[in-house]
Amino acid sequence: MDIILLGPPGAGKGTQAQRLVANRGMVQLSTGDMLRAAVKAGTPVGLKAKTVMDAGELVSDAIVSALIGERLDSTAGQGAIFDGYPRTRAQAEALEMLLGERGRAVDFVIELVVDEDALVDRITGRFTCARCGAPYHERFHPPKTEGSCDVCGAHEFKRRPDDNEQTVRTRMAEYRAKTAPILPIYDDRGIVHRVDGMKTPEEVADAIDASSTARRRK
Ligand code: AP5
């Protein structure tokens, strides 16, 4: 199955995508992760994307659709989880084309429905271990021993440069203006499942499982 995870910044797309990878062997295609890797590597795409990402705006449709196109074949037979893509109508059209060329189509869309004000807290408090990438949150999930990673014991942590309140607000405005309007494309096909993203990650995962099982039976 090819699944789109849709929701504003901090809705839990990455968290749920990783669970689907671990539990179902699907492949996560996160355009945010791909762009951050490009920025870190200093590639031409990364150089173009950095300023736009730091401002909380959307990178060009052509760049992100090319990134997805390059990786789509690696998901054949396993199913892709599109995390943070598509984010505009042009991207939704590009995805249709890329999947259609491979005899595939979007099977269903999970919309994580959330309270945006709570998301600012979720995002501005999060950080990761600089060595192993383990995720933490200042209030909801701090390391057991302050200053030391629970997983690998490293003492250095990092934050995403776009995880400050001002940028988060811009990212949310971009979501409302450009991404939410693509939902009707999938609603018209009857493939959108709405899940309450304010529940615990486990409850959200259970709701996604129930939706996808129901979908497979159809
Ligand atoms: P991207 O990396 O996709 O960021 P985002 O959409 O802003 O989403 P986040 O990664 O912040 O949140 P998430 O929904 O994955 O939540 P998470 O699981 O991490 O994009 C970054 C930038 O790249 C964009 O602004 C844009 O510039 C560019 N870009 C990317 N894709 C693009 C595209 N297609 N087109 C154009 N530009 C593009 O969870 C967040 C936090 O909450 C974590 O701390 C987590 O532990 C916690 N959490 C998760 N679920 C729960 C829960 N149920 N309860 C409590 N806490 C929870």
Side-chain angles (χ1 to χ4, degrees):
M1 286 220 283
D2 291 313
I3 303 177
I4 296 176
L5 283 177
L6 265 183
K13 303 181 293 294
T15 303
Q16 296 303 327
Q18 280 164 22
R19 282 171 184 253
L20 288 165
V21 169
N23 299 338
R24 302 246 187 117
M26 297 179 75
V27 181
Q28 176 186 15
L29 294 182
S30 159
T31 40
D33 287 348
M34 293 173 202
L35 289 166
R36 279 184 288 279
V39 170
K40 194 171 173 198
T43 65
V45 163
L47 293 175
K48 270 194 201 149
K50 185 174 180 351
T51 327
V52 181
M53 292 172 79
D54 286 351
E57 292 162 6
L58 293 187
V59 174
S60 83
D61 293 329
I63 287 182
V64 291
S65 293
L67 290 173
I68 290 289
E70 283 163 18
R71 285 161 178 82
L72 208 45
D73 288 332
S74 70
T75 69
Q78 288 169 280
I81 310 152
F82 298 100
D83 163 9
Y85 179 90
R87 268 170 142 106
T88 64
R89 185 167 279 276
Q91 291 179 26
E93 287 165 3
L95 180 59
E96 289 298 304
M97 203 185 68
L98 289 166
L99 287 172
E101 286 167 355
R102 292 161 174 82
R104 292 162 61 178
V106 175
D107 290 293
F108 80 118
V109 177
I110 298 284
E111 183 194 4
L112 294 169
V113 181
V114 285
D115 164 6
E116 285 196 6
D117 285 327
L119 297 191
V120 175
D121 261 4
R122 270 196 199 174
I123 296 180
T124 54
R126 76 175 163 185
F127 59 97
T128 54
C129 170
R131 189 198 290 163
C132 74
Y136 295 98
H137 191 281
E138 281 164 6
R139 280 197 292 140
F140 310 135
H141 176 41
K144 289 185 186 118
T145 306
E146 198 183 336
S148 177
C149 174
D150 298 345
V151 178
C152 74
H155 300 296
E156 284 189 26
F157 297 89
K158 62 180 182 181
R159 286 176 190 267
R160 273 171 46 177
D162 59 345
D163 275 355
N164 59 77
E165 179 160 357
Q166 192 187 348
T167 307
V168 170
R169 298 272 180 208
T170 306
R171 285 157 60 194
M172 285 177 177
E174 289 280 80
Y175 180 81
R176 281 192 297 271
K178 296 174 185 163
T179 308
I182 68 175
L183 270 161
I185 299 174
Y186 305 108
D187 261 330
D188 287 349
R189 292 185 209 161
I191 58 169
V192 179
H193 294 253
R194 294 193 161 79
V195 168
D196 181 355
M198 297 314 294
K199 297 206 163 150
T200 66
E202 293 72 26
E203 288 169 326
V204 176
D206 287 346
I208 291 176
D209 273 346
S211 299
S212 61
T213 304
R215 182 85 216 153
R216 263 182 292 179
R217 289 214 182 100
K218 278 191 184 171

